[in-house]
Amino acid sequence: MPANTTASSGTTGSTGGKTGRKKGRRARLIVIVLVLALVAGIGYGAFWSVSTVRASYPQTTGSIKIDGLDGNVDVKRDSYGIPQLYADTDADLFRAQGFVQAQDRFWEMDVRRHMTAGRLSEMFGSGQVDTDSFLRTLGWRKVAQEEYDNVLSADTKKNLQAYADGVNAYLKGRDGKDISVEYAALGLTNDYKPDEWTPVDSVAWLKAMAWDLRGNMQDEIDRSLMTSRLDAKKIEDLYPPYPYKKHKPIVEGGAISSVTGKFDPAATPSSSGLGSDTVQGATEGVNTQLASLSDTLDQIPALLGPNGNGIGSNSWVVSGQYTTTGKPLLANDPHLAPQLPSLWYQMGLHCREISAKCQYDTAGYTFSGMPGVIIGHNQDIAWGFTNLGADVTDLFLEKVSGDGYLYDGKIKPFTTREETIKVAGGKSRTITVRETNNGPLVSDRSSELETVGQKAPVGNSAPDRADGYAVALKWTALDPGKSMDAVFELNRAKDFKSFRAAAEHFEVPSQNLIYADTKNNIGYQAPGKIPVRLQGDGTMPSPGWSSEYGWKKDPVPFYELPYEYNPKRGYIVTANQPVIDEKYPHLLTKDWGYGTRSQRINDLIQSKIKGGGKISTEDMQKMQMDNTSEIAALLVPELMKINISDKSVREAQKLLEGWDYTQESDSAAAAYFNAVWRNILKLAFGNKLPKEMRVKGECLNVPRADSSGPVDEQGKLVRECGRRDADTAQPDGGDRWYQVVANLMDDPNSDWWKSPRSGRDTATENRDQLFARAMTDARWELTAKLGKDITTWSWGRLHQLTLKNQTLGTEGPGLLQRVLNRGPWNIGGGEAAVNATGWNAAGGYDVVWVPSMRMVVNVGDWDKSRWINLTGASGHAFAAHYTDQTDKWVKGELLDWSFGTNAVTKSTTDTLTLKP
């Protein structure tokens, strides 16, 4: 036992409670399997005993002494290991939060802080140098340090320090194997030992959040890449305008008042005059550097989702006038990358008495490594998040020369800094980071960029290209901000006024914030540091050599950002659709989600209300699991009209007869339709995109004029292979592609429907021919994957979720991966459904993002709220609470969420007391 702990009762490693004992047998079996695997040679010939595996299990009963506490803190865990903390001061509360999260999740916390600091090479060796170099160039850790030193409030710093003290109290006296089994594995090849936790480690995590939720950066790159293969009109076809007449925005009224200059939900909007202002001439032909940047982005760990693509979320709140409880109901389910352990950590933070020295009584979802609650409720209000999707990044082409860059006809010197990357088992590497007035040169991190632009055609507005252009990144998150202040302010907020005051400080990442309180008020606020551009609309890279471009000094003022408070309709829905209609005068982004999920939620709420019914907690839960496919409703009637002569294909086509467009796991119709959809996208669009956007390793023949490479015997076609990871390739099949296809349905002879001959397939000249070919291709694809007998087909057999340990589970030896990872599970739902179990149509059918948690908050009657996590409370791969919520998550079930003292006491199975 570590020197700084003493157990007065209970046993170190005890999980306690009936459920813990019930699951103990399975946990022991997993431990035995691990030991056998390691003895068999996985651990480089090392022997691990069962005690090694179990050494890091947390103590959950008895008592532990911790230096620095002012009084006792009780840690009460329920049968799923979810902790509720009770303390008498803020400092003790956050100190205990740090200790308990380190008990369950320190390996995850440690890897995460090394990622945000660009120090993965210290843990995992030279294979991470390129990733570290890119992250050092972005400078997340540097900005986080500036925030802590110069921007954050004194109270926030105290809370961060208390949290760090709690983490370090846990680490004190412990070897790596006593912290997590992964350290024992790492110790076989590396003498790495964890450093102490610092407050800046916590702050830096917000930069990782902001990066994965950065908005349209990938779309900006993709549009530029498309110029090598498609003309401007065709690119516009693939990025259609938002269908405001069909899908509602979040805020359905209001404008910036001409009297007060502030946003007024009751004001009448006038035309904004915002239009497209791209900078085409200066950016054509820069594909080499942008393709290389895109490749680099694919290598950066995506903690929240596949490089930002597809990341969405649902949240909605219904006023008490339409609920069975008479008080608001609030639902939230962020769609993020599936990972093990889950990104979220459920927790309650309770002051025994609310006072000036102890201000918190809140519970919800937290991030391991960061104090406070991110999404949840306190005793007065509840709140939820979805990604607003504001365009907060711009790429700038820079004309570099020697030690400087061109700006308004003069050469300005770079701002530079040296970064040393320590490498486990190797020599340290030193890089030089160069910055222009538009941000760091992200193109410096690729050797492919040394000769870029030598053949790139550019417009007359561009300077002589010489050795080519560099690419700089301008991003709001690279300026110090107050988002960490906002977390604590949200946790303490009492009403809509204090909620909005907290939202003003939530600068990055920009999120949609929904609200409800015990006085039956509901609301919404769009926060965030959103840039105002001098020229351009952020959809294409801008010229960095002219002061006519760039951003104004000040972002959009908070008081001009849209909000709603008790709208007449009685509910608010946010699901990544536009915040407000196109008459709003500020450009938030041009790359919104296309409103498929949000409109479906709107429709479900309206149908209940118009029918005279009241919405219950169970209704909210059912809405979260709605898996209706909007694109199926559009396409299936047309697919059924097509005359299919092949008996086997006709047999598959009949699956769609009478299908209700729901994507249940056991549905053969959903399996076949989604395969048809995937093949429609491939034939109509995917094969016409540049190689930089297509799936890595998938090859096709293209006209010689469009590419370079091995030429066929006739000298006309070139064999060209895709370059992008399957999870991020295009067309991904999301609701932007729904809108693309919907716009083309009335033009059956569009060039998009033309597809060349391939193998045994004939060329297609119109829509119905392409649909027939897609139905045929889908039939044989599923025959290969699922078998010839269509009665055995099911969507879940195609659409599977595998949870992977984020380090050894993805990079370790195969047998060890199988021991650490979990799954697969057969999953229902689908892309752009409310139950958004996302898959990338270009890459395959596997689940690549999910509702990472689900909650339904029963405002005012908090103990009737419900919640679920994707995995479990524990990050210890062989503990009972590693994935003990996953089966229920798959079924759409929710757990009881205790909040009040009596309810928590009743649900408690283990109590640990932390003592001074």
Side-chain angles (χ1 to χ4, degrees):
M1 186 177 297
N4 67 315
T5 65
T6 58
S8 60
S9 65
T11 305
T12 299
S14 169
T15 55
K18 295 179 181 178
T19 302
R21 288 191 293 271
K22 184 177 178 181
K23 296 174 181 175
R25 182 178 177 184
R26 183 183 177 207
R28 285 194 297 274
L29 289 174
I30 293 172
V31 168
I32 292 169
V33 170
L34 175 69
V35 172
L36 290 174
L38 292 168
V39 171
I42 288 176
Y44 303 92
F47 177 81
W48 284 0
S49 66
V50 171
S51 62
T52 301
V53 174
R54 303 187 67 175
S56 59
Y57 284 15
Q59 179 180 339
T60 59
T61 60
S63 64
I64 298 176
K65 289 185 178 180
I66 295 180
D67 293 339
L69 285 178
D70 296 319
N72 290 351
V73 180
D74 292 325
V75 182
K76 298 185 176 184
R77 293 180 185 258
D78 67 10
S79 60
Y80 285 87
I82 299 170
Q84 306 276 347
L85 311 185
Y86 291 84
D88 294 317
T89 67
D90 291 346
D92 279 359
L93 195 60
F94 294 118
R95 196 172 283 116
Q97 185 181 15
F99 184 91
V100 171
Q101 287 191 337
Q103 278 188 307
D104 284 337
R105 299 278 192 98
F106 186 76
W107 169 260
E108 174 195 10
M109 293 164 59
D110 200 16
V111 172
R112 184 180 292 164
R113 67 163 164 176
H114 278 77
M115 193 275 288
T116 59
R119 295 173 52 204
L120 289 170
S121 300
E122 294 179 23
M123 297 182 77
F124 303 112
S126 59
Q128 298 298 321
V129 169
D130 288 346
T131 296
D132 284 345
S133 297
F134 188 80
L135 295 171
R136 295 285 185 98
T137 299
L138 293 180
W140 293 352
R141 171 77 187 201
K142 179 176 79 72
V143 178
Q145 186 71 56
E146 292 171 3
E147 286 183 358
Y148 185 79
D149 291 342
N150 304 318
V151 177
L152 297 178
S153 72
D155 283 344
T156 293
K157 290 182 181 181
K158 289 178 183 177
N159 294 340
L160 288 165
Q161 186 61 60
Y163 181 91
D165 291 343
V167 175
N168 293 329
Y170 175 75
L171 296 178
K172 186 178 180 181
R174 283 183 165 85
D175 293 328
K177 64 180 174 55
D178 299 319
I179 298 170
S180 186
V181 70
E182 288 92 340
Y183 287 111
L186 199 65
L188 298 171
T189 57
N190 187 353
D191 59 358
Y192 171 81
K193 296 188 185 331
D195 294 332
E196 285 196 345
W197 194 263
T198 73
V200 180
D201 292 332
S202 297
V203 178
W205 168 234
L206 286 170
K207 301 304 171 186
M209 279 183 62
W211 176 253
D212 276 358
L213 300 174
R214 61 192 178 270
N216 78 333
M217 183 173 169
Q218 192 66 55
D219 287 325
E220 187 176 341
I221 292 171
D222 286 354
R223 269 186 290 257
S224 299
L225 294 174
M226 286 179 186
T227 61
S228 69
R229 190 64 56 85
L230 304 174
D231 61 30
K233 173 60 172 64
K234 281 189 163 53
I235 294 174
E236 288 178 8
D237 288 345
L238 302 186
Y239 288 90
Y242 184 84
Y244 285 98
K245 292 182 179 180
K246 184 171 68 169
H247 295 162
K248 296 177 182 178
I250 298 170
V251 176
E252 297 183 19
I256 296 174
S257 169
S258 59
V259 178
T260 65
K262 299 180 179 180
F263 186 86
D264 180 355
T268 301
S270 58
S271 178
S272 70
L274 285 175
S276 177
D277 184 17
T278 58
V279 194
Q280 189 75 23
T283 60
E284 291 178 349
V286 296
N287 292 349
T288 306
Q289 59 266 54
L290 291 176
S292 182
L293 176 57
S294 183
D295 291 345
T296 302
L297 297 181
D298 266 352
Q299 298 168 15
I300 303 306
L303 292 181
L304 307 185
N307 280 336
N309 291 328
I311 286 186
S313 301
N314 302 320
S315 72
W316 66 95
V317 60
V318 182
S319 170
Q321 69 185 104
Y322 294 125
T323 67
T324 58
T325 66
K327 291 288 179 71
L329 293 174
L330 185 150
N332 198 185
D333 55 289
H335 306 155
L336 306 172
Q339 54 187 282
L340 194 55
S342 167
L343 186 75
W344 299 107
Y345 184 95
Q346 296 150 290
M347 189 173 235
L349 302 173
H350 308 278
C351 290
R352 295 189 180 98
E353 292 185 13
I354 300 296
S355 66
K357 69 175 183 177
C358 202
Q359 306 172 74
Y360 297 88
D361 187 14
T362 185
Y365 293 86
T366 73
F367 293 131
S368 301
M370 219 175 87
V373 167
I374 306 301
I375 294 174
H377 70 84
N378 59 31
Q379 69 273 41
D380 297 304
I381 74 165
W383 66 93
F385 284 9
T386 63
N387 194 23
L388 192 149
D391 184 0
V392 296
T393 60
D394 276 347
L395 297 174
F396 284 83
L397 302 181
E398 303 285 2
K399 176 64 178 72
V400 300
S401 177
D403 294 327
Y405 59 97
L406 184 68
Y407 189 70
D408 283 348
K410 297 180 180 179
I411 300 297
K412 297 188 66 174
F414 293 113
T415 301
T416 62
R417 69 177 189 274
E418 298 287 314
E419 295 277 354
T420 299
I421 299 170
K422 297 179 181 179
V423 181
K427 294 181 179 179
S428 297
R429 316 285 177 86
T430 300
I431 64 170
T432 300
V433 177
R434 302 189 296 172
E435 295 188 11
T436 74
N437 56 357
N438 290 314
L441 291 184
V442 289
S443 55
D444 277 357
R445 302 284 70 87
S446 173
S447 60
E448 296 178 26
L449 302 182
E450 293 177 0
T451 58
V452 298
Q454 291 180 357
K455 299 180 181 180
V458 293
N460 292 334
S461 60
D464 175 44
R465 61 177 168 263
D467 292 330
Y469 302 119
V471 181
L473 171 66
K474 197 171 185 68
W475 179 30
T476 56
L478 297 183
D479 295 324
K482 296 183 178 182
S483 293
M484 197 68 238
D485 284 345
V487 171
F488 296 112
E489 290 167 355
L490 274 175
N491 287 190
R492 299 192 305 264
K494 301 293 185 184
D495 51 27
F496 194 59
K497 181 179 179 181
S498 53
F499 169 81
R500 291 191 71 210
E504 183 173 2
H505 290 152
F506 207 98
E507 297 169 337
V508 291
S510 187
Q511 300 288 288
N512 296 307
L513 295 178
I514 61 167
Y515 167 93
D517 65 34
T518 55
K519 296 180 180 178
N520 212 2
N521 300 302
I522 64 172
Y524 163 84
Q525 177 66 57
K529 185 185 290 184
I530 300 171
V532 179
R533 293 169 178 82
L534 295 171
Q535 281 197 58
D537 59 12
T539 60
M540 297 281 274
S542 297
W545 49 80
S546 172
S547 59
E548 294 179 3
Y549 297 87
W551 296 351
K552 292 185 178 180
K553 180 180 178 181
D554 296 321
V556 177
F558 177 79
Y559 56 78
E560 294 185 10
L561 291 173
Y563 73 93
E564 278 191 319
Y565 188 56
N566 293 328
K568 290 182 180 180
R569 64 185 179 279
Y571 60 89
I572 301 169
V573 176
T574 88
N576 318 112
Q577 79 272 38
V579 171
I580 195 168
D581 67 23
E582 63 268 49
K583 294 181 181 179
Y584 181 69
H586 294 299
L587 177 64
L588 302 180
T589 186
K590 287 201 169 182
D591 290 308
W592 300 107
Y594 279 75
T596 299
R597 286 178 286 108
S598 61
Q599 193 57 46
R600 177 63 177 169
I601 298 166
N602 268 290
D603 292 344
L604 290 170
I605 294 172
Q606 286 181 345
S607 65
K608 188 78 173 182
I609 292 173
K610 288 181 179 179
K614 297 279 189 177
I615 295 173
S616 66
T617 302
E618 290 72 24
D619 291 328
M620 301 283 275
Q621 184 175 345
K622 288 177 182 176
M623 291 178 195
Q624 288 181 325
M625 295 302 295
D626 183 87
N627 58 32
T628 303
S629 171
E630 181 184 87
I631 193 62
L634 174 69
L635 292 183
V636 167
E638 300 302 322
L639 295 174
M640 295 307 299
K641 295 176 184 177
I642 295 174
N643 185 25
I644 300 293
S645 58
D646 186 300
K647 291 182 180 180
S648 294
V649 180
R650 173 62 182 147
E651 181 186 32
Q653 184 187 34
K654 286 182 178 180
L655 289 172
L656 304 179
E657 292 181 355
W659 180 42
D660 62 359
Y661 314 133
T662 59
Q663 301 170 96
E664 301 294 344
S665 175
D666 61 358
S667 171
Y672 181 59
F673 172 76
N674 282 319
V676 174
W677 171 237
R678 167 173 149 84
N679 281 279
I680 287 173
L681 291 170
K682 179 180 179 181
L683 293 170
F685 311 106
N687 291 348
K688 298 164 188 173
L689 296 177
K691 62 181 180 294
E692 293 87 359
M693 298 176 65
R694 300 199 311 269
V695 175
K696 189 181 298 181
E698 290 190 1
C699 304
L700 52 86
N701 295 325
V702 300
R704 186 175 185 180
D706 287 349
S707 186
S708 60
V711 180
D712 70 350
E713 293 179 0
Q714 289 75 35
K716 295 179 180 179
L717 296 177
V718 174
R719 191 70 171 163
E720 183 187 78
C721 299
R723 290 177 47 177
R724 188 169 289 182
D725 285 350
D727 288 354
T728 58
Q730 292 293 336
D732 62 19
D735 62 357
R736 172 165 68 89
W737 294 99
Y738 290 13
Q739 192 61 39
V740 169
V741 171
N743 290 351
L744 293 171
M745 288 298 288
D746 293 333
D747 186 4
N749 296 310
S750 167
D751 286 346
W752 286 114
W753 302 125
K754 297 178 181 179
S755 181
R757 182 176 180 274
S758 176
R760 296 176 300 173
D761 295 318
T762 59
T764 67
E765 296 296 330
N766 58 45
R767 182 194 69 192
D768 288 353
Q769 288 178 5
L770 186 140
F771 282 5
R773 182 168 158 187
M775 293 170 74
T776 300
D777 291 351
R779 172 36 158 147
W780 301 122
E781 181 187 0
L782 294 200
T783 297
K785 291 180 180 293
L786 303 179
K788 186 177 181 180
D789 184 359
I790 66 171
T791 64
T792 68
W793 290 2
S794 70
W795 176 224
R797 287 181 61 200
L798 277 179
H799 189 52
Q800 293 188 320
L801 169 67
T802 300
L803 296 173
K804 295 184 177 181
N805 179 287
Q806 289 301 288
T807 50
L808 299 180
T810 57
E811 300 294 336
L815 183 55
L816 187 55
Q817 289 188 39
R818 290 192 290 274
V819 171
L820 294 176
N821 298 341
R822 300 290 180 270
W825 285 266
N826 294 347
I827 301 291
E831 184 70 28
V834 178
N835 181 23
T837 55
W839 56 287
N840 186 303
Y845 303 97
D846 287 343
V847 176
V848 295
W849 57 81
V850 294
S852 55
M853 62 79 159
R854 299 185 185 104
M855 74 177 193
V856 177
V857 181
N858 197 316
V859 176
D861 198 352
W862 305 113
D863 295 327
K864 292 184 178 178
S865 301
R866 313 210 74 204
W867 61 354
I868 197 78
N869 204 352
L870 174 63
T871 60
S874 179
H876 298 286
F878 317 107
H881 304 305
Y882 191 44
T883 56
D884 58 341
Q885 297 185 47
T886 307
D887 287 342
K888 289 182 178 294
W889 177 93
V890 168
K891 296 173 185 176
E893 298 176 8
L894 300 176
L895 304 176
D896 292 334
W897 180 354
S898 299
F899 178 73
T901 303
N902 291 337
V904 169
T905 299
K906 189 174 181 180
S907 64
T908 296
T909 59
D910 286 357
T911 300
L912 172 70
T913 302
L914 304 179
K915 295 186 173 184

